[in-house]
Amino acid sequence: MLELFSLKDKVAIITGASRGLGRPMAKGLAAAGAHTVLVARDAAKLAEVRDEIIAAGGQATVLPLDLMDEGAIRSGVRRIAGELGRIDISVNNAGIINWQPVLDSDLEDFERIMEVNVKATFIMAQECAAVMRAGGRGGRIINLGSLLSTVGRARLHAYCASKSAIVGLTRAMAAELGRDNITANVIAPGYFVTDINASLTGRPGYIEAVNGVTPMERWGRPEELVGTLIYLASAASGFVTGQVINVDGGIQSSFTFQLAA
Ligand code: NAP
């Protein structure tokens, strides 16, 4: 049965592998058997992750690049496909956020968020899908959405727009690439303590406020995304495509009111 979840002999590329949610997810892909290609800007941190994977008996390669550089993404993916002979799994996890009021925000900020969160995801997934199709072995595209793919949040219009776009992009890729046995799905996390929400977790009462609207009454631990990731990356999810899987302690499927009923 465990065979179903094995990524042995597969090649996986994951963005945002230097820290946050991407780091444990990258290690999870490698622990499941995939040769894991680690993408982010910080080459030193990527080398640390690679060394940890290799020390644990896995295989990893670093691919430091800025996701705002289209040419670097395209040439990087092509080089990896040439060197490793295949790409089976594309995990588009890197993302950025910025808090700005709608009426007092600049277009530059909006464009930067869309560029990293959406455009780079598209370019990376497009390049990887071309390699997958040419290999004839199918593949897996897994994009990171958010709780804010579904609901709006004040002062996060660009981030919310980008995370909703991820869902549309993923569903469209699923619709088109299914015939090539390439699936495309979204993992939508709720609240996890990482750098992306460092500006919130330092605010008095914020951690507790999130606990209060989450049925499981706590924040997620980054390692808790690994099981869903391996499921979507492996044969276990062979007929699952175009889906959004919320990993959020139940926050999206419940309505919490401050006063007891
Ligand atoms: P994080 O801790 O801030 O990490 C972001 C990652 O993205 C880092 O590895 C960073 O690496 C990489 N990155 C950012 N800009 C980049 C660029 N221009 N080029 C290449 N890499 C870049 O964020 P996280 O919490 O792990 O979030 C991961 C994903 O989950 C994001 O898509 C986020 O929107 C989503 N998410 C997170 C939460 C949460 O609660 N944490 C909730 C919902 C959704 P370098 O700085 O080394 O480049």
Side-chain angles (χ1 to χ4, degrees):
M1 171 57 78
L2 282 179
E3 285 277 290
L4 207 52
F5 296 89
S6 170
L7 303 182
K8 191 170 173 297
D9 300 327
K10 306 283 188 198
V11 171
I13 298 193
I14 175 165
T15 66
S18 56
R19 54 194 165 86
L21 304 181
R23 194 164 173 143
M25 286 201 286
K27 288 171 150 188
L29 291 165
H35 187 133
T36 304
V37 180
L38 311 166
V39 178
R41 288 164 302 184
D42 189 330
K45 281 212 181 108
L46 290 181
E48 260 175 43
V49 183
R50 177 199 56 204
D51 293 349
E52 286 168 14
I53 288 173
I54 291 171
Q59 292 175 287
T61 298
V62 298
L63 180 58
L65 57 80
D66 188 336
L67 288 165
M68 293 184 77
D69 182 346
E70 177 189 351
I73 302 173
R74 294 199 188 280
S75 63
V77 170
R78 287 173 197 175
R79 182 164 61 75
I80 289 296
E83 282 171 18
L84 301 180
R86 58 194 291 161
I87 294 173
D88 304 282
I89 301 153
S90 167
V91 184
N92 296 293
N93 158 74
I96 56 173
I97 204 165
N98 197 21
W99 296 76
Q100 282 196 340
V102 175
L103 301 186
D104 185 24
S105 67
D106 51 86
L107 205 49
E108 225 170 72
D109 181 69
F110 188 88
E111 284 170 348
R112 193 173 54 89
I113 289 178
M114 295 303 277
E115 192 154 354
V116 175
N117 294 6
V118 185
K119 190 171 152 192
T121 293
F122 171 65
I123 297 165
M124 182 63 87
Q126 185 190 41
E127 281 295 331
C128 290
V131 177
M132 291 168 190
R133 178 182 275 172
R137 290 178 290 259
R140 299 279 188 267
I141 295 165
I142 301 157
N143 298 327
L144 268 284
S146 166
L147 160 66
L148 301 183
S149 295
T150 310
V151 295
R153 181 88 167 91
R155 296 194 296 119
L156 283 183
H157 55 282
Y159 183 81
C160 289
S162 76
K163 290 299 176 179
S164 296
I166 284 292
V167 173
L169 172 68
T170 308
R171 287 186 178 139
M173 291 190 91
E176 191 169 332
L177 300 174
R179 71 191 58 174
D180 297 301
N181 196 25
I182 299 170
T183 66
N185 292 288
V186 172
I187 297 177
Y191 282 90
F192 289 74
V193 178
T194 66
D195 294 346
I196 211 166
N197 44 41
S199 67
L200 305 177
T201 49
R203 280 166 56 184
Y206 205 94
I207 299 238
E208 294 74 16
V210 169
N211 293 348
V213 294
T214 307
M216 295 189 75
E217 295 186 354
R218 65 173 177 84
W219 289 53
R221 293 184 281 273
E223 316 77 65
E224 289 180 309
L225 290 171
V226 174
T228 304
L229 174 68
I230 301 305
Y231 165 67
L232 289 176
S234 66
S237 62
F239 201 47
V240 176
T241 195
Q243 302 304 306
V244 179
I245 302 190
N246 302 318
V247 183
D248 64 358
I251 199 166
Q252 279 194 74
S253 45
S254 62
F255 174 73
T256 314
F257 197 64
Q258 296 300 331
L259 299 175

